[in-house]
């Protein structure tokens, strides 16, 4: 901590980042469009049809912010590719995350006519994922040499998401 006179103490940015990493580790980080990212001529309807989205998950939009953006819109606007009355502009820097906080349908599009080139996404978010399978007993885990690959992937995804959120927070400061 740093004392800035007058007895007020400020936590360094690392403490803020650590807190964000701990509080944001729930849910999965899902890169929209996989390798293609958020770009024209990708069938996001097909992409989303093969995934499950749950409250607490994060959408990760990767795009060139000079040309594209991400707007959350209502269903009618999504269907017409109408960006005139968007609900929220998700765009910050082209590597943007969006937390799915409610069980409902979400609609996103890119303005500037890019929606007509496929840059629109509709997903339905459910309350919670199915319960995980029972974990093996401690004896089985130690016989296999420690944690499962799934737990390593989960930790890596949580850390990656925390880093992205930390970058977002630093941009706000």
């Amino acid at each position: 901590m740093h004392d800035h006179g007058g007895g007020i103490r400020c936590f360094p940015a690392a403490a803020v980042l650590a807190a964000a990493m701990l509080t944001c580790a729930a849910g999965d980080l899902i890169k929209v469009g996989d390798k293609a990212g958020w770009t024209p001529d990708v069938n996001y309807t097909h992409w989303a049809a093969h995934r499950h989205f749950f409250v607490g998950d994060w959408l990760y939009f990767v795009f060139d912010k000079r040309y594209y953006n991400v707007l959350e819109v209502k269903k009618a606007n999504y269907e017409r590719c109408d960006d005139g009355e968007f609900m929220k502009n998700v765009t910050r820097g082209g590597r943007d995350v969006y937390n799915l906080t409610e069980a409902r349908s979400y609609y996103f599009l890119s303005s500037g006519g890019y929606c007509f080139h496929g840059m629109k996404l509709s997903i339905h978010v459910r309350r919670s994922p199915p319960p995980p399978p029972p974990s093996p007993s401690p004896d089985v885990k130690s016989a296999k040499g420690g944690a499962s690959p799934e737990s390593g992937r989960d930790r890596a995804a949580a850390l990656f998401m925390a880093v992205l959120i930390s970058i977002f927070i630093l941009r706000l400061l």
Side-chain angles (χ1 to χ4, degrees):
M1 288 192 290
H2 302 287
D3 190 346
H4 291 282
I8 298 173
R9 295 182 166 243
C10 298
F11 289 96
V16 173
L17 297 178
M21 289 175 11
L22 290 174
T23 59
C24 298
D28 289 335
L29 180 68
I30 303 165
K31 183 178 177 188
V32 175
D34 294 326
K35 288 182 181 180
W38 184 240
T39 188
D41 303 319
V42 172
N43 186 336
Y44 293 101
T45 301
H46 179 73
W47 175 85
H50 300 291
R51 280 155 188 76
H52 300 284
F53 303 92
F54 300 100
V55 171
D57 286 348
W58 294 80
L59 296 180
Y60 177 42
F61 291 91
V62 178
F63 57 97
D64 187 336
K65 71 176 185 170
R66 294 175 298 172
Y67 304 107
Y68 316 121
N69 61 7
V70 181
L71 305 175
E72 182 182 4
V73 297
K74 295 179 181 173
K75 182 178 181 181
N77 295 70
Y78 169 85
E79 291 170 347
R80 293 189 314 263
C81 281
D82 178 5
D83 61 5
E85 295 179 17
F86 62 87
M87 296 166 44
K88 182 173 184 176
N89 186 345
V90 178
T91 311
R92 296 291 175 263
R95 304 285 183 269
D96 301 325
V97 293
Y98 184 87
N99 188 215
L100 303 171
T101 59
E102 298 177 57
R104 64 176 175 91
S105 294
Y106 289 80
Y107 305 94
F108 301 93
L109 58 81
S110 184
S111 64
Y114 292 106
C115 177
F116 294 107
H117 294 278
M119 291 184 73
K120 59 192 257 181
L121 171 66
S122 168
I123 61 170
H124 184 74
V125 175
R126 294 185 248 178
R127 289 204 190 283
S128 61
S135 60
S137 69
D139 294 334
V140 174
K141 205 177 247 188
S142 63
K144 289 184 178 181
S148 68
E150 289 79 19
S151 66
R153 279 195 299 270
D154 291 345
R155 281 194 301 272
L159 180 59
F160 183 66
M161 179 173 58
V163 168
L164 290 174
I165 292 165
S166 299
I167 291 169
F168 176 75
I169 290 170
L170 285 176
R171 277 196 243 143
L172 296 176
L173 298 177

